[in-house]
Amino acid sequence: MTDYHFDTPAGPNPIDQQKIIGHPHDRIDGPRKVSGQAPYAQDYRDGISNIAYGFIVGAGIATGRIDRIDTREAEAAPGVLLVMTHLNAPKQGPHQHDLAPQLTGPEIHFYDEAVALVIADTFEQARDAAKLVRISYTPKKGRFDLAQERLNAVKPDEDEPDTSTGDFAQGFAAAPVQLDVTYTTPDQSHMMMEPHATIAKWEGDRLTLWTSNQMVHWAIRDVAGTLMIPEENVRVLSAFVGGGFGAKLWIQSDAVLAALGARAAGRPVKLALARPQIMNNATHRPATIQRIRIGTDPQGRILAIGHEVWSGNQPGRKIENAAQQTRLLYAGKDRMTSHRLAVMDLPVGNSMRAPGEAVGLLALEAAMDELAEKLNMDPVELRIINDVQFDPEKGPSRPFSTRKLVECLRHGAREFGWSKRNPKPGQVRDGNWLVGMGVGSAIRNNLSKNSGARVTLRPHGSVLIETQMTDIGTGSYTILAQTAAEMLGLPMDRVEVRLGDSRFPESAGSGGSWGANSSTAGVFAACEQLRQQIAQKAGFGGAELTFRGGQVHAQGRSVSLASLAGKNGIAADGTIVFGDLEKRYAQASFGAHFCEVGVDRYTGETRIRRLLSVAAAGRILNPKTARNQCLGGMTMGVGAALMEECVVDTRFGYFVNHDLAEYHVPVHADIPDLEVIFLEELDDKSSPMKAKGVGELGICGVGAAVANAIYNATGVRVRDYPLTMDKLLERLA
Amino acid sequence: MSNPSGTKPFTITRRDLVVSGAVTVAVGSGSAHAQTSEPKAKVSRASQPTMPVELIANGTPHRLTLDPRVTLLDAMREHLNLTGSKKGCDHGQCGACTMIVNGRRINSCLTLAVMHDGDKVTTIEGLGSPEDLHPMQAAFVKHDGFQCGFCTPGQICSSVAMLGEIRDGIPSHVTRDLMAVNYSDEEVRERMSGNICRCAAYPNIIAAIREVHEGNT
């Protein structure tokens, strides 16, 4: 494995040709997906015989202990092979980091935590027998209401919960114009279409998991750690993932219980969380309370900006870092951010699409709208005059690698017809519809992770890419093929991509929008290595190489790749290793969202009429798949603004609306044709690909644009997301 | 739910109802109303009743002996290895399991396999293969009408049957003139709203369906 160190800005390289990269190529995995031939975790059959089925019994209380658990009836039920509870479950790794031990004791930590596992010959038998496990509990009083627990919140033991620059208190107190507002965002659920699901099979002491996971090498680490077996004894396969949005960054109960059940039953076991179990048993995005204070001069220039966030989680778990974008987005001399964490007994909170910014911008970008009104300024102009080309906490010594926020705002305003917006709310009617427009800035921190790949030039001159990278709908298969095709001068149909197998080189995985840029850079690194090996074999020494049409050209000579590949082919491994450029430069993707809504004056129903996002995110590797990512983010942002909320029963401590009938996500009828525009940009500090993350940018700020449009339409400002009709109706004139 | 195929109904004894809660769902939802014959339930090795059923899956008849609790979805996936149809919720809330049964789209997770004796079931595999895509499948690829692909088999089966419903003049919630049902994006969005796409390729799905509709007219 050869490391390609990326610690100086990228110079010109073969990717810049953009013959294949940068073009809207159809997904190469598309024909398999549309014909039902792409295998997801539960679809595997080959090499898996005599399979048994698992079903999880979840805790019926949120906190307390199991007094008695009676499995006799379940064990006697037809087809049942075994029932596992804390009384007979094997010892596992501890409750720490991202390990996921199951059935560890009689204590209940959250509602629907697994308390028993039933394994039976058939799914129907396991499901029905699960209802026969009799459990009595002693419940304990729990902490379920963030508004109350906020008082007990403490400064968490994390990297950087607080930041401070200048003197915020003094700067804000002295500011001629002041805004002090508090927003709340609810718990939200990923609701990816494919449930958490695993098939586990043991051969001796070696375990194979066909599972649905975004991060294969983390899955290996955490499965091995939880089961207390060597990592090399675990193989994870996750070639197709039916959506993740952060839910599948870490292993969940399905993987661990399938493995434990399969070992105990001596047969392969298939186990999926039932849809109504997912919201409470697995993870969600935690609710927040956010106080934002902004002080400006009379012209709207920000003098002081402060963002305080409260969230709750299980003991030892993390904050929702919703103030992170406020550290970077706008200028201002005196600044502060803080995060406080309350220990609560709701299910485990964790990352969901754009953790931090997605809900942080729901507050910040609505506050900017309120501020614009207070200043009697256009909200686009307010954002533009507060642009800053360096990290405003660190100063000009840490410039942004690229930052086209102003260009996004101006371009979007022009395309959207922003000048037609009536700044006075509640003025525009279309029949019974109150019509309004809103804007929101988008920023998403650009993350990168070391990523490896193996690229093999095969006999006959085709190329195979193998990497642990996953494709969770993001288009990884296609952009990795485009990268290799560009680097090696081959047409797309000569490149095959295999993903999601832990036997392949370790990759960045899919999460935090780091996947596309990091994993294509990994393939770039492997292709650089392969190009050198090819050159050597062709006897070109250190000459300038051109790869074109299945041939390599140098020194006036051409050699076909097929002839060089020989009988055995040529394989090259490479890994992109990121240096400190992301410390020296602030790196983020930027955008601007423009939304027009109609609000029914009699019912308070909101409809999205138009939605435009303009994005600048470095090189767009494939405009077709990137646009689709933006559509998805925008739509999830519309959901956050209008409907998505895990409703907490504060008496019993669980999310009540735990399925797709009760937790509303946008459907076809909610979403009109959306528009996405990418501004041209290359970021030579991000990677040799000069690309940045785009999968989460779409959700960042869009919900606030919707909320601001609702305010413009109605004159009603709701600071408690989601903006459901009941909250509007009581205040509509 | 009606039983448009006119296939053999079956009956359930009180004892069977006690044995299997899942079966009560089937009775409540319909097709066991006309009780004409004795139950075909047998006691299996595991002392659970099974029933014979014949399913015409993508044109091929299959005789199965199934636990009556097995849904049509699980019969296809777990017994016939047709895994293209997906189980997103198992509760009729997401549409990922949509199949075309005797020409009509249904949530296959909400119906028991034994209710479909003799029925013609078309799954995503029956529409086309990677080498020979159905026009709707090809349009989904061309317009990038999916991301993760998990809802896609259901979206496509639903789309194909839905265009037939518009052609047949079946109105929807948004149809203004019930006597003149016409294709529009609004009609399609309404009629496809039972198929959730959390990745939200919605505008691309609408574009794919529009292209197939225009190619057919």
Side-chain angles (χ1 to χ4, degrees), chain A residues 15 27 88 192 311 388:
Chain A
I15 295 297
R27 284 172 205 257
N88 60 353
M192 63 288 165
S311 61
V388 57

Side-chain angles (χ1 to χ4, degrees), chain A residues 26-27 30-38 40 42-43 45 53 78-79 121-125 127-128 189-195 240-243 245 270 274-276 352-353 471-474 624-625 627-629 631-633 635-636 644 659-661 663 665-674, chain B residues 19-22 45-48 67 69-71 74 77-79 81 83-91 93-94 96 124-125 128-130 133 137-138 140-153 155-156 185 188-190 192-193 195-206 210:
Chain A
D26 289 350
R27 284 172 205 257
R32 293 173 78 192
K33 281 184 171 173
V34 300
S35 58
Q37 303 300 321
Y40 299 79
Q42 296 185 73
D43 300 342
R45 297 292 182 273
Y53 294 77
D121 281 328
T122 72
F123 170 69
E124 294 76 19
Q125 290 167 336
R127 182 186 58 193
D128 285 10
S189 183
H190 310 83
M191 284 296 177
M192 63 288 165
M193 300 308 298
E194 182 196 23
F240 289 92
V241 178
F245 313 114
K270 178 187 290 199
R275 177 60 62 178
M352 176 170 149
R353 199 176 204 161
D471 188 329
I472 62 173
T474 37
K624 187 175 251 186
T625 54
R627 173 178 176 271
N628 208 341
Q629 287 288 290
L631 296 178
T635 302
M636 207 176 274
E644 293 191 33
D659 61 32
L660 278 161
Y663 182 90
V665 302
V667 299
H668 277 285
D670 297 316
I671 301 300
D673 275 337
L674 310 179
Chain B
V19 168
S20 171
R45 176 182 59 80
S47 72
Q48 279 202 311
D67 182 328
R69 295 170 296 185
V70 173
T71 62
D74 282 328
R77 287 184 49 84
E78 305 297 325
H79 297 267
N81 279 342
T83 55
S85 310
K86 302 302 181 211
K87 186 186 282 190
C89 72
D90 217 12
H91 288 68
Q93 300 168 346
C94 78
I124 191 69
E125 292 94 338
S129 63
L133 296 176
Q137 292 171 321
F140 267 63
V141 174
K142 177 180 167 191
H143 292 279
D144 213 28
F146 56 90
Q147 291 174 34
C148 81
F150 199 77
C151 75
T152 311
Q155 297 277 356
I156 291 173
D185 287 352
V188 174
R189 289 195 175 99
E190 169 64 23
M192 290 298 294
S193 284
N195 290 88
I196 295 174
C197 174
R198 184 57 159 161
C199 299
Y202 293 133
N204 295 352
I205 294 172
I206 300 302
R210 191 190 298 135

Side-chain angles (χ1 to χ4, degrees), chain B residues 14 18 23 28 34 37 40 48-49 55 71 116 164 168 185 197 214:
Chain B
R14 179 175 297 275
V18 174
V23 172
S37 62
K40 298 222 162 29
Q48 279 202 311
L55 300 171
T71 62
H116 293 280
D168 292 346
D185 287 352
C197 174
E214 284 167 0

